[in-house]
Amino acid sequence: MNNAKTLKLLDNIQFIYELALARLELKSFEPDLKVTNDFREFKIKDISNLEDLKTRLAYFKTIDGIYTDYYYLQKYNQTKSVNQFLTHWIYPYKGKFHPQMIRALLNIINIKRGETLLDPFVGSGTAVLEAQLLGINGIGIDISLLCVLISKVKTESIEVLDQIKEYKDFYLDKNNKKEAEDERVKNFYKVAEMMAHSDQSRRGKSFDSSFRNDALKMIASVEDYNEAQKRFNLKLGKIKVIQGDARNTELKDESVDGIITSPPYSIALNYVANDSHSLTALGYDLNQIKEDFIGVRGTGLDKFKLYDADMEKAYSEMHRLLKKDKYCVVIIGNVTFQGREIDTTQNVINYCESVGFKTVKKMAKIIYGLYNVMQKEYILIFKKSK
Ligand SMILES: C[S@@+](CC[C@H](N)C(=O)[O-])C[C@H]1O[C@@H](n2cnc3c(N)ncnc32)[C@H](O)[C@@H]1O
């Protein structure tokens, strides 16, 4: 290759699936590539859109010695965990996506600045925040008000940073009852409160000192986000987070340009029990909301039947909302019930193909840190073919 460009992977790449995603994301910009240097580097020919690569790539550290934006963005990190940079770390939500994987998938499905990504099971908001960073608009839906609050705070706080700081002393002083008027500022301190509830119930920490520490660290992360936006001249995507049901949304037919989501993994994780402290603090009746949460209804084998029926509705809804020839990415794993592995993944493929999706890719990835429940999950990429 004449005038070839050399791209080096980021140092934290350790799994085969990450290497596979790195190759696929680079391929979406330049199909003619070579893997070199024992899988640590790639070579492509000299292409005109190098600036695009620098601003969008997820798994790469340098392009011909020039650092990518993501290399720097990941350094705005108030935690010890590499992938919990900017506002990603906010709230210890179980089953969060790896942000870097989402950025790569956004490249792989070729969704552009100004287009719209949907995550109908948005959870703690990882996918919409990654979309926002790339200038892609995002719609996030979740049945849980807690998730809606977390996702909003991660993506909207940057718009009201000054007011969040202005109200800091009021919120940190227990005796002061002054409330902010702006919903986004209220939500910010509400989520700090939810984090303190979580610290208290899971780790036995004092509510007051947790609230203070969490709020201050959250402010530092929003300041980071603000600084990063200015430094890299990021034109952020518009994000809308809605409390709603993925089985039946109010969005229009063929209104989104891509979907990336991970639905509840059958009965693997009980999201109601898991966040019961925060959901109760938000005024929920846990027994009542259980009825709307997918994967929580019923007992024994009935639970699986209800789960399958609910998810069929959700996949049909995703098919309805996606534009033709666009992609839907589902990250899902098999669960084990009474010692038997249930092939949830194959059920998803079968159903999605029956409603008009074509399976483009099935890629296995390991789950880091959840070994006792599931060891492996799959990235399924579907294309809406009819
Ligand atoms: C695997 S989690 C998503 C995690 C997310 N990818 C993240 O990065 O945090 C699945 C989510 O589905 C939500 N959920 C359950 N039933 C739902 C329903 N009927 N409609 C919409 N969301 C639902 C749960 O509240 C949970 O947040």
Side-chain angles (χ1 to χ4, degrees):
M1 283 182 186
N2 284 340
N3 293 327
K5 300 275 168 204
T6 302
L7 291 97
K8 287 193 178 159
L9 289 171
L10 279 160
D11 302 333
N12 68 330
I13 309 301
Q14 32 176 344
F15 301 119
I16 292 173
Y17 86 87
E18 291 178 308
L19 189 61
L21 287 176
R23 185 177 151 274
L24 283 177
E25 70 160 339
L26 187 55
K27 246 185 142 172
S28 71
F29 292 96
E30 176 46 56
D32 188 10
L33 58 81
K34 264 210 269 192
V35 186
T36 60
N37 194 14
D38 295 331
F39 298 111
R40 294 306 310 178
E41 290 178 10
F42 289 76
K43 277 204 189 321
I44 55 168
K45 63 180 188 217
D46 193 3
I47 51 171
S48 58
N49 59 344
L50 274 181
E51 188 56 28
D52 262 10
L53 268 68
K54 185 178 144 306
T55 52
R56 289 198 57 140
L57 286 175
Y59 284 114
F60 294 87
K61 182 174 170 179
T62 55
I63 307 171
D64 259 8
I66 297 171
Y67 287 95
T68 59
D69 286 4
Y70 211 53
Y71 168 79
Y72 291 114
L73 285 177
Q74 286 187 323
K75 298 208 175 294
Y76 288 96
N77 192 334
Q78 299 290 330
T79 77
K80 293 198 183 87
S81 192
V82 237
N83 54 48
Q84 294 299 293
F85 58 96
L86 295 174
T87 52
H88 274 303
W89 71 278
I90 293 174
Y91 200 88
Y93 197 69
K94 278 219 178 130
K96 275 186 190 179
F97 276 144
H98 204 298
Q100 193 172 27
M101 174 184 87
I102 298 302
R103 189 173 177 105
L105 287 167
L106 288 165
N107 288 331
I108 292 166
I109 67 171
N110 204 4
I111 182 160
K112 304 247 163 39
R113 171 181 297 287
E115 292 187 336
T116 302
L117 172 86
L118 168 71
D119 182 350
F121 297 99
V122 78
S124 65
T126 318
V128 284
L129 175 54
E130 280 300 310
Q132 181 175 49
L133 285 167
L134 287 172
I136 297 164
N137 300 328
I139 303 175
I141 301 176
D142 206 287
I143 197 79
S144 157
L145 181 58
L146 173 66
C147 294
V148 171
L149 277 177
I150 302 169
S151 303
K152 281 186 171 205
V153 164
K154 284 183 178 178
T155 53
E156 292 179 353
S157 297
I158 186 169
E159 297 159 11
V160 283
L161 175 60
D162 289 343
Q163 289 181 62
I164 287 171
K165 291 207 291 204
E166 202 182 299
Y167 277 88
K168 182 182 83 183
D169 292 337
F170 297 115
Y171 279 93
L172 292 185
D173 175 359
K174 266 198 301 191
N175 302 317
N176 200 305
K177 296 278 173 273
K178 186 168 165 178
E179 266 266 39
E181 270 167 33
D182 195 300
E183 206 60 43
R184 294 165 294 183
V185 181
K186 281 191 204 166
N187 288 346
F188 182 88
Y189 287 101
K190 186 95 190 142
V191 167
E193 216 181 282
M194 294 305 126
M195 288 179 65
H197 279 299
S198 164
D199 287 344
Q200 189 182 34
S201 79
R202 287 186 188 149
R203 294 192 238 149
K205 288 197 179 167
S206 128
F207 180 88
D208 290 343
S209 70
S210 285
F211 175 68
R212 187 182 179 80
N213 293 340
D214 289 335
L216 294 177
K217 199 160 134 186
M218 282 169 68
I219 293 176
S221 306
V222 182
E223 281 175 330
D224 281 350
Y225 196 173
N226 192 43
E227 201 187 302
Q229 185 197 6
K230 293 207 174 94
R231 178 170 165 198
F232 296 101
N233 195 18
L234 303 175
K235 305 267 182 303
L236 302 181
K238 293 187 201 77
I239 306 300
K240 202 164 138 198
V241 186
I242 312 163
Q243 185 179 19
D245 193 328
R247 292 168 293 184
N248 179 19
T249 73
E250 285 174 4
L251 304 177
K252 293 203 180 84
D253 289 2
E254 315 221 328
S255 56
V256 303
D257 302 280
I259 299 176
I260 301 181
T261 198
S262 80
Y265 287 11
S266 183
I267 60 156
L269 234 171
N270 185 330
Y271 286 98
V272 177
N274 209 45
D275 288 305
S276 57
H277 42 272
S278 297
L279 292 166
T280 312
L282 286 172
Y284 269 131
D285 173 347
L286 296 187
N287 278 327
Q288 209 175 348
I289 56 169
K290 258 169 77 171
E291 284 311 302
D292 297 326
F293 274 68
I294 296 177
V296 182
R297 292 196 295 146
T299 49
L301 273 178
D302 241 13
K303 236 182 174 174
F304 289 103
K305 286 196 191 117
L306 289 167
Y307 172 82
D308 286 344
D310 284 341
M311 281 312 301
E312 287 184 0
K313 287 191 194 139
Y315 291 121
S316 299
E317 184 69 353
M318 289 184 220
H319 184 267
R320 179 180 78 78
L321 300 175
L322 187 63
K323 291 183 187 163
K324 181 129 192 294
D325 293 326
K326 300 283 183 178
Y327 297 91
C328 169
V329 184
V330 177
I331 292 120
I332 188 103
N334 292 341
V335 276
T336 304
F337 181 66
Q338 295 179 342
R340 224 183 81 220
E341 187 174 331
I342 298 177
D343 202 347
T344 328
T345 316
Q346 194 53 49
N347 295 346
V348 175
I349 295 176
N350 295 346
Y351 186 76
C352 284
E353 290 186 349
S354 78
V355 296
F357 281 121
K358 190 170 152 261
T359 310
V360 179
K361 214 148 213 80
K362 175 183 176 185
M363 191 187 279
K365 76 176 274 284
I366 72 152
I367 307 180
Y368 208 51
L370 251 182
Y371 285 130
N372 45 353
V373 188
M374 300 161 105
Q375 299 190 343
K376 219 172 23 179
E377 59 188 353
Y378 292 90
I379 302 171
L380 304 175
I381 306 184
F382 299 108
K383 185 172 184 180
K384 178 167 171 174
S385 56
K386 53 176 186 260

